[in-house]
Amino acid sequence: CRFRPITHRDGGPTLPPSLKVDAASGSGTPRRRVTPDLTTAYMTQSIMPQHANTLHITFGGQVMAWMEQCSYISASRMRAPHVLTASMDSLAFTRSTKVGDIMYLTSQVTAIFGSS
């Protein structure tokens, strides 16, 4: 298996390794950099009839909700008290998914900001 999942032991999640966050130099909004592979998260979703329209094509909003869930898992590894997605630059659906398909999602933290 190519995935290294975070496993559960004794009823609680296994904590990921501590992350070292370095402050970046420059003007403007303070920005800190992390190594993306330390925050990588994977999710697998099976497309069911309740996730699709009458043409059996997955709702775009449902895909976005799964993206948000996967992103939250990545961001929560930063051990911040509150995490949110402030914006997305763009989103383009290149292929449709249909009922019965399996969707694999991957997310990584690439930057941390102090405010939304």
Side-chain angles (χ1 to χ4, degrees):
C1 182
R2 64 185 175 122
F3 299 127
R4 292 175 291 139
I6 300 293
T7 59
H8 295 270
R9 297 184 186 134
D10 302 323
T14 302
L15 295 175
S18 297
L19 301 175
K20 182 180 179 189
V21 179
D22 298 322
S25 62
S27 61
T29 306
R31 187 172 180 176
R32 296 175 282 170
R33 298 182 192 277
V34 297
T35 306
D37 61 337
L38 294 175
T39 61
T40 303
Y42 302 97
M43 278 180 55
T44 304
Q45 292 291 332
S46 177
I47 310 298
M48 305 295 281
Q50 63 266 29
H51 304 137
N53 60 21
T54 56
L55 300 174
H56 302 287
I57 297 172
T58 313
F59 292 121
Q62 181 64 59
V63 175
M64 291 176 68
W66 289 331
M67 290 169 53
E68 179 69 19
Q69 288 174 357
C70 193
S71 299
Y72 178 80
I73 293 167
S74 288
S76 67
R77 294 185 179 164
M78 299 304 298
R79 301 202 178 130
H82 302 287
V83 179
L84 63 91
T85 301
S87 68
M88 283 189 196
D89 293 333
S90 66
L91 177 62
F93 296 103
T94 57
R95 285 190 299 165
S96 62
T97 55
K98 299 191 177 224
V99 173
D101 288 349
I102 304 295
M103 182 178 291
Y104 299 98
L105 297 106
T106 305
S107 66
Q108 296 178 328
V109 174
T110 56
I112 303 167
F113 299 93
S115 67
S116 59

